[in-house]
Each structure stands twice: as C-alpha cells, then as structure tokens.
Amino acid sequence: MKQFPPVDIIPPDYNTNPLFLNNSDMSDNEYNFRDIEKKWQNYWRDCGLFRVDANDTSHEAKEKFYCLVMFPYPSGTLHVGHGRNYIIGDVVTRYKIMKGYRVLSPIGWDAFGLPAENAAIQKQIHPSIHTKDNIRKMKSQLERWGVGYDWDREVTSCKPDYYKWTQWIFLKLFENKLAYKKKASVNWCPSCSTVLANEQVVEGLCERCDTEVTQRDLEQWFFRIANYAQRLLDDLETLDKWPEKVKTMQANWIGRSEGASIDFTLQESKEVISCFTTRPDTVYGVTFMSLAPEHPLITELVKGTDNEESILQFVSRIKNQNFVERTSEGTEKEGIFTGRYVTNPVNGEKVPLWVANYALMEYGTGAVMGVPAHDQRDFAFARKYDLPVMRVIEPSDSEKRQQTEKVDEAYVEDGIQVNSGQFDGMHNREAIPKIIRFLEEKRYGKGSINYRLRDWLISRQRYWGAPIPIVYCESCGTVPIPEEELPVLLPENVEFKKKGQSPLADVEEFVNTTCPSCKGMAKRETDTMDTFVDSSWYYLRYLSSNDDTQAFDPEVVNKWLPVDQYIGGVEHAILHLLYSRFITKVLSDLGLLGFNEPFKSLFTQGMIVKDGAKMSKSKGNVVNPDFIIEKYGTDTQRLYTLFMAPPQRDAEWNDRGIIGAFRFLNKLWKNVVALQTEFNNIPRREITHDLFSKETKELFRQINITIKKVTEDIEESWHFNTAVASIMELLTVVTNFTEGQGGRKFEDENGINDFNVLRHALETIVKILAPFVPHISEELWVICGNEPGIFSVSWPLYNKDVLEAEQVEMAVQINGKVRSRVTVESEISEDVLKMRIMKEERICELLDGKEVLKIIIIPKKIVNIVIK
RNA sequence: GCCAGAGUGGCGGAAUUGGCAGACGCGCCGGAUUCAAAAUCCGGUCCUCGCAAGGGGGUGUGGGUUCAAUUCCCACCUCUGGCACCA
C-alpha cells in the first residue's frame, strides 16, 4: 500500500532560527522535558484520567461538565494555530477536573470531505486510506501535545458505524417532511464539481476554493431550516454565554424583516402577482412593478408580444452575469417593460410591469413594487426610464418639506401620509398596521414576515460523503431506505476521474438496486450529503459512540447535554453552529432530545497569524509544533500559546517568544529541584502565622493574591496570558525570598515554618500551573514530596483575610501630577494621612504660598491636593 | 451604506464601578560568568530637555465633562469581521 507523502514543511534553518539555539547538553538535574512528557502522558492514559463511563452513577455527587472542542478535519498535520484550540480545551478540562467535576472531553474526526477526494484524484490513493493515514498522524500529534481526551469515545464520521446514523437522521427529517427534493437554481462550484449551500458561498466565490460560483437549475435535496428561522432567531436570546458577535452574525444571516405581502393582479389574465414589502405605508405610491429576471411567469407573460425577443434577450443577458457584475452596489439599474400592466389593489391604478436586474428571485416573491418617491433604488430606476414619481409621505416639518420637494433622491424617512386615500394625514408608522389591516379586510394582501435564510441544500455531487439513503422506483417514486437496512454503504471500488459527476453514478452495483417497498427495479440516489450534516450531530454520538443499536441513548444524552463549554473557531459562526442548532431543535421536536440548544456556552478563539497572515502552506508561513516540541517540549509550546495573547483575540506568532516560556519553566524547575533535600528532610507542618517574619508574611500574601488572580482569570475572563504573568511574578517573589539574607537557612523553628511557607508557595505554583503545563507540574509535584497525580488534588482556595498588605505606597499628586510618594499603614485615617503628607518636604515646598482648595483621598491609592 | 469589535513603547500585550499608563514576556543596551561563545544571572529600557535633582509631553485625531480620562460623552480617521440592489 502506498504511503501518503509527508506534508511539506519548510525545514528550519539551524543556524539562524532561534528555536534551534544550542541547549542540548542536559545533565541529571536539568529539565528533561522529553522523558517527563512521555512519562506523564503514559501515566494519564494508564490511570484513565480522561476516561468517563457515562452510564456509571456511582459518581452522582460530582457535577458533570461536558467540554467540547470542534472536531478536526483530518488534513494531515496540525500547526500551532490549530493547537490553540486544543490547548484551550485542555486547560478548561484539566481545571474543571481539579475543581472536582466529572469532565467529559471527547474527540473525533470530521472525516468526510473534498480534500481527501481531490487528493485521491491527483494521487490515485483511496480517500479512506488517505484519511486513515492522516488521522493516525494527527492523533499522535494530539497525544504529544498532552491534550487529554477519552479516546474510547473517538468518532470518525466517514466510518459506516457513524454515517449509518447520519443517514438515520436524514430519514427522520424525511419522515417529517423536513427533507425534500426540489428543482431550483442552485450554486455550483465548477472547480469542486458540486453544488453548495448558500452558507458556503462568500461574495460569489466558493468558500473552499475561491472559484466563482455559477447558477444551475438542478433537482436537489434540501433541509427545511427556513421553517425554523424564527425559533433559531428567538432562541439566540437564551444563549447568554455565547459571544454577542456570533449571535449577531446568526441574526443577520437569518435576516428577519417585517412587512406585508400585497397582491397585484394582471390586467389581462387576472393572475395574481404578490410582492413583499417592508413599507406597506408606501403602497399608494407604486408607479411600476418589477420582476426578477428569473421569475417563472416571464416566459408566459411575454409570449406573442411585440417585444418578446428583446425581453427574453434581456433576461438571459442578466442571468448570465456573474455575481459581482450583477449584485455589486454600483451596478446600474436596468430593466425592460413587459408590455403588461397590473392593478394596484388599494387605488386601482394601472401599473406597468417591468423586468429589472435589481429584483432578486431568491428574496421574497421575486416581485417588487416600485415606489420611486420613497426608495432610492426605485428612484434611480424611475429616473432612468422616465417613470412617474408619486409622493405619498411628506416630512412633518414644513420647512423640511420645501427643501425635499425637488431633491434628487427618494425620501426614505418617516413622515405624514399624503395621496393615500383614507390614510392621509396619518403618521406613516401609525399607518403601517392600519394599512395592513385594511389589506387583510379587503383581501388585497396580508401582514407578512420574510426571512433571508433559505433552506439548506445538502446534496453534493461527490463521492466522499455519506450516501443519501433514498432510491427512485418507477412505480413507487422516491422511497426512503428502511432504518433496519442502514447503512447504505459507500462502495469502495470506484474510479476517480478528473472532473465531473460523482463517481457513484458509475458504480452499477451501487446504483442498481431493488425498491424496498415493491421489490422492483430501482436506482439509488448518487449524491452524498454535505459534510456539515455529519458535524451537525457528532456531539450527541460521543455519548454512545460504540452503540450499534441507536444513534444516541436519549437518557445518557439528556444527562450530559447540552455541552457545557464548546470551543472552536469563529469561522463556524454561521455554518456549523446554525446547522447544529437546527438539527438539535428537530430532534428535540421529535421527542428524541430533552433540550433544544446544543451548546450552553461558546468560546471562539482567535486565529494565530504569522507575518501578518493566516498560516497556510501556500504562503509558507506554517509553524509546525513538532519542531518546537522536539526542542523545547510541549509544555513550552502550550505555555507560549497561552501567554502570547488573550485567547479570544487574533495573535501574532513570534518564534522568539517561545524562548521566554522555556526560560520560565527552566527557572521554575531549578527553583524546585534546588530544594529537593529540604523537601525530603524538613517535616511538613501546619503553617504558623505567629512565626512569620515580614518577608514570610509578604510571601504568604502573594501566594493568596496569585491564587485569586489565576482563578478569576480562568473562570471569568479566560485571560490565560495574565494568569501566567501573575504566576511568573509569584516565582520572582519566591526567588527573592529564598535568596534573601544571603541564602535563607531553614534550621530553627522559624526556619522550618518559613520552609513550609516556601513549600506552600512552590506547591501552589505547580498546582495552578497544572492546567497550562501539566507534564512539568506532575513531575515537580512529586519532587515536592507528594504522591503522583496532581489532577486528583483540588484547586487551591485563597484566604481573603491576608490579601491586604499592612503598608501601602500612595502617590501624592498636586493638581493631578504625581509629586511625591508616601508609605503608610493601609488602614490609616484620612486626618492622619493628611498630617503625614503635609510633613513631606517636597510637598511643603510646592505648597508654599499656595491656597489649598481641597484634598481628595482615594484610600490605598492616591492623594490629590488641589491648589490655586 | 448598516451592525459588531479594535486602535497603547521597537514587538506581543497589561491596566477600564474614572485614581500612579506601559504588569508579564520578547528584543535591545550595560554588567557578571567564560580563553571565547552559547546558556545562565544581575541592572537598565515610553519619548524628550537636563551632568544631576527635576521638568515637559504621551494610550488613533479633534473637542467636552472632571480634582483626576487609556477608561465616560460628542464628532471624526484607520483597521478587522459580519450583512448588503434584501424590496
């Protein structure tokens, strides 16, 4: 079997690259990360630190915590940018373990998809081999990073034991009329040779390969996500632990607008053309109506008219324009008169019917009522074709009214209705509901809400996906495969041709089958499902990944979900996260789930960029973590990744920065190892505060301050960078303490007490670093004289009574400028403080001959003397 | 155009119920150690005037509120992301 060629990584320059500066000779007492990391990874595996028996009820006292990172596409190699996601997830997992939760932290592979198939075409390697190989590589990478998962729950979406249930979910939707096939104009990517969902088209380009997307009329499978638009929108409000940004993006995508749909009637045939408008208050100002070039009525309407040919020419010219030509804002409004008229129901006006390039078939009904007086686009159109402009709303303020009388733009603001029959004189906002009621009473139309969200197109004309479990039978029509016959297996022996149709269509054994219903001859659906279907439910499968009787066990799933913490990239803000919410709601409606939002709390991490650009092979700026781990260890990689910036923000990777993280770990290592004899010989005792010297007291205070800071940074803001910084500061305090008095001795009772405070300090550092750099923490924990297993130790609590220092330095300002400093007792009274300050030589000098207006005292911080 | 978010030393970034701007790290400069280097350790490092003591300026720009503004208010500029001929 051919080996998949290794991913090309630019070899580092050993002479100039700071990552490869010489530090290779390690003596016994050196920080030997290679052995340490291997050792503890094996230890966690053997003791099952991350293994969770979801059915086990013996831990009921412990609260559950489901920590989920977005499962990766097995692309082959993960770079340090991907690493961030898993490292953050691992910090949360390990922290929660120390906080006493039962933590479920699973992982799997989003393993279907185009790249594997494209590689297959290029290199003639079967996608399943390619994928399996990549999974193997990436799995070993994740293991080397020391990120902890319950590997017994691993899922792989391209395996039949997984996609069987993806197909089952399709059937559930099909049974409930939420999956359907229709002919529609759909997005087609010529380079990927497949259709795409709206969500996968970005500015007219294929999201994946940036090829220009064209439109094709094809019969395709859709999921009725549009039916869920309102609920997907409403329930965003319940997601209080999601970033506002993501919720806004979803709300924009759903794009709800309120208005009315109004029925205009064709004058000849009496056929009704409805149009949607958000401004029913302007209906009296309609002077023309526009149809989208794709509107199905056009062909019929223009048949036999004088202008038939030029109209059809116009339509086909517009249809053939590319996305940018057609939809960019600067594109000139163009249209052509159809020769037909419709009647405006509210006033009986005869309204010319046009075809216009700016009317979109995919929004509303594909027909727009033209109100040039109050819509800028209609205005431009009317100007160009000399159509009448009819004002029906005027500014309430008469001065403004004069100003706007002859201006070259539409009046789009609010105002008073005019020329609007019975509604004249009303404020337009007030008129809207009244006009809607009027339309409804007269059966001219109705109040209506329109959404931008379209149904989810899930068919793909490609091989490497889950087959859609449907057959087409001449006598029975479209027939779903019965549940018990799942999975519909993806055939292994297929030929990968360069471009074109799905290879499945050529596999006769696959295509030709019998109808499950009448047992007659039938043909299988040869399209596969969008991979976003696979990923829309994987978080459920983790709870019963080895169950071959059901997709998930409702009881277990209801116990462990919703996911307590979901972590992933913001690029999935709409796609994956919207689809998952939809599928969860559907399954919940079917009574299969007891919750209707899958992810309680969402964290989106920023990208790691290098040289100002996203890491990519083509740009050659990929930083491979393997080299870093080889030279410095994964704890260093982890520490730097966490330290470089707050994780929600994009961050610039700097190779030099790694060194700072490595230095810190070495410094910590040396400090602990240097005390090994003392750790072994000096008895562990309760700390006695009465024996504290000034330095000891300060050290003890700093320990507590640091615990507080780190705990809050993890729990509240996720600012791991400042958490790490504060631990670095504590280590400096520790170093100063041990080196104080020319090297501290721990001999008498005071000394033993001091040592126990020092031990407390180092053990605290090791504990609060454990979620960040678990390997070195485990090792140092043992060196401090403890039994192995730092993750069975509780997260330290701080003593809030010792956070305050006895003395504080305060800045003394005169008119807002710092002129002096005083060190005073922190609980000093204002009067005593004022007296102290007035004795300061420098202050006296500056105040000499000046009038003091007032003195502002901010306790423990600042004194500001205001003078004239 | 609309809606979010951001703008702080040479660099990554700290600090917002208004209270000493620049924590921590990188880099750089100086020193110790070394035959020399690497590694390590110590000190310095916002700009500017000054030998110094000390002074002046400084958080995108311009205003404002305040004893005090990176933080609050108004106007604007730039960048990033989302939506956009959406009726």
Side-chain angles (χ1 to χ4, degrees), chain A residues 806-818:
Chain A
E806 279 176 8
Q807 297 216 310
V808 287
E809 190 186 62
M810 293 179 73
V812 184
Q813 297 182 330
I814 292 176
N815 284 349
K817 290 189 188 296
V818 180

Side-chain angles (χ1 to χ4, degrees), chain A residues 266-399:
Chain A
L266 266 166
Q267 296 215 323
E268 287 83 354
S269 66
K270 302 295 169 210
E271 196 164 348
V272 167
I273 302 178
S274 314
C275 68
F276 173 77
T277 180
T278 53
R279 295 292 303 275
D281 51 321
T282 64
V283 64
Y284 286 87
V286 174
T287 58
F288 64 95
M289 186 172 203
S290 299
L291 297 178
E294 284 81 2
H295 201 286
L297 274 177
I298 294 174
T299 331
E300 192 60 34
L301 277 175
V302 300
K303 201 168 272 177
T305 60
D306 297 346
N307 252 343
E308 180 176 359
E309 206 174 311
S310 47
I311 293 167
L312 292 181
Q313 256 176 23
F314 172 81
V315 165
S316 88
R317 179 166 64 83
I318 300 294
K319 275 189 183 175
N320 283 329
Q321 280 178 342
N322 70 31
F323 179 87
V324 176
E325 274 177 322
R326 172 126 182 224
T327 62
S328 61
E329 209 175 350
T331 303
E332 202 183 342
K333 314 274 173 286
E334 280 188 273
I336 189 163
F337 179 46
T338 60
R340 306 283 179 183
Y341 293 86
V342 292
T343 310
N344 184 343
V346 295
N347 56 10
E349 290 282 327
K350 186 178 178 186
V351 175
L353 184 60
W354 287 63
V355 179
N357 65 342
Y358 70 95
L360 305 171
M361 195 58 218
E362 59 274 18
Y363 189 77
T365 60
V368 188
M369 60 183 219
V371 188
H374 305 292
D375 181 286
Q376 195 52 40
R377 291 154 303 172
D378 297 343
F379 183 83
F381 192 81
R383 271 292 153 89
K384 176 160 180 177
Y385 295 105
D386 215 15
L387 294 160
V389 176
M390 173 73 169
R391 291 172 65 95
V392 292
I393 291 165
E394 290 196 328
S396 31
D397 162 0
S398 66
E399 213 171 294

Side-chain angles (χ1 to χ4, degrees), chain A residues 132-378:
Chain A
K132 215 180 283 176
D133 200 44
N134 284 349
I135 288 175
R136 187 183 51 74
K137 283 186 204 155
M138 283 174 51
K139 185 171 174 175
S140 93
Q141 262 191 314
L142 292 178
E143 283 170 341
R144 256 175 298 151
W145 293 352
V147 288
Y149 301 110
D150 184 350
W151 285 101
D152 296 347
R153 300 180 176 277
E154 181 178 0
V155 301
T156 308
S157 67
C158 67
K159 286 190 179 170
D161 64 0
Y162 184 91
Y163 71 69
K164 171 180 180 176
W165 302 111
T166 307
Q167 292 172 336
W168 177 82
I169 284 176
F170 176 94
L171 292 179
K172 290 289 135 197
L173 272 86
F174 182 80
E175 277 167 29
N176 290 281
K177 312 270 186 284
L178 292 167
Y180 67 99
K181 198 173 194 189
K182 74 166 179 198
K183 189 165 184 178
S185 175
V186 295
N187 305 303
W188 173 266
C189 173
S191 161
C192 297
S193 320
T194 183
V195 297
L196 301 170
N198 290 342
E199 290 79 6
Q200 288 153 9
V201 181
V202 180
E203 310 222 332
L205 305 179
C206 170
E207 174 219 27
R208 184 181 298 282
C209 67
D210 283 348
T211 306
E212 196 172 286
V213 169
T214 59
Q215 298 296 307
R216 283 198 177 183
D217 286 322
L218 292 169
E219 238 193 298
Q220 298 289 312
W221 285 95
F222 291 85
F223 284 171
R224 283 194 204 279
I225 193 171
N227 282 15
Y228 282 72
Q230 190 61 51
R231 282 170 61 195
L232 287 166
L233 183 66
D234 289 344
D235 289 353
L236 285 175
E237 282 170 34
T238 68
L239 301 174
D240 55 324
K241 290 181 182 166
W242 276 42
E244 275 313 309
K245 179 187 157 106
V246 173
K247 290 196 279 183
T248 311
M249 281 166 72
Q250 291 212 356
N252 283 344
W253 189 261
I254 293 166
R256 176 191 154 105
S257 34
E258 276 178 53
S261 85
I262 303 175
D263 298 340
F264 289 69
T265 318
L266 266 166
Q267 296 215 323
E268 287 83 354
S269 66
K270 302 295 169 210
E271 196 164 348
V272 167
I273 302 178
S274 314
C275 68
F276 173 77
T277 180
T278 53
R279 295 292 303 275
D281 51 321
T282 64
V283 64
Y284 286 87
V286 174
T287 58
F288 64 95
M289 186 172 203
S290 299
L291 297 178
E294 284 81 2
H295 201 286
L297 274 177
I298 294 174
T299 331
E300 192 60 34
L301 277 175
V302 300
K303 201 168 272 177
T305 60
D306 297 346
N307 252 343
E308 180 176 359
E309 206 174 311
S310 47
I311 293 167
L312 292 181
Q313 256 176 23
F314 172 81
V315 165
S316 88
R317 179 166 64 83
I318 300 294
K319 275 189 183 175
N320 283 329
Q321 280 178 342
N322 70 31
F323 179 87
V324 176
E325 274 177 322
R326 172 126 182 224
T327 62
S328 61
E329 209 175 350
T331 303
E332 202 183 342
K333 314 274 173 286
E334 280 188 273
I336 189 163
F337 179 46
T338 60
R340 306 283 179 183
Y341 293 86
V342 292
T343 310
N344 184 343
V346 295
N347 56 10
E349 290 282 327
K350 186 178 178 186
V351 175
L353 184 60
W354 287 63
V355 179
N357 65 342
Y358 70 95
L360 305 171
M361 195 58 218
E362 59 274 18
Y363 189 77
T365 60
V368 188
M369 60 183 219
V371 188
H374 305 292
D375 181 286
Q376 195 52 40
R377 291 154 303 172
D378 297 343

Side-chain angles (χ1 to χ4, degrees), chain A residues 812 814 817-821 837-848:
Chain A
V812 184
I814 292 176
K817 290 189 188 296
V818 180
R819 297 300 183 196
S820 180
R821 295 171 185 284
I837 287 163
M838 292 310 167
K839 276 191 223 149
E840 287 287 305
E841 207 176 313
R842 183 152 165 70
I843 297 299
C844 292
E845 276 169 36
L846 290 161
L847 292 186
D848 188 37

Side-chain angles (χ1 to χ4, degrees), chain A residues 561-591:
Chain A
L561 277 95
V563 169
D564 295 279
Q565 184 62 59
Y566 198 26
I567 301 166
V570 74
E571 63 274 17
H572 293 108
I574 294 172
L575 292 150
H576 163 61
L577 290 167
L578 192 66
Y579 295 148
S580 298
R581 294 182 61 218
F582 163 63
I583 292 294
T584 300
K585 288 185 191 305
V586 170
L587 295 174
S588 172
D589 286 352
L590 299 180

Side-chain angles (χ1 to χ4, degrees), chain A residues 2 30 51 109 316 377 407 603 741 749 834 856:
Chain A
K2 219 163 115 190
E30 291 290 313
R51 211 176 298 135
W109 310 98
S316 88
R377 291 154 303 172
V407 188
F603 183 87
Q741 305 166 354
E749 277 305 303
K834 279 181 194 167
I856 292 142

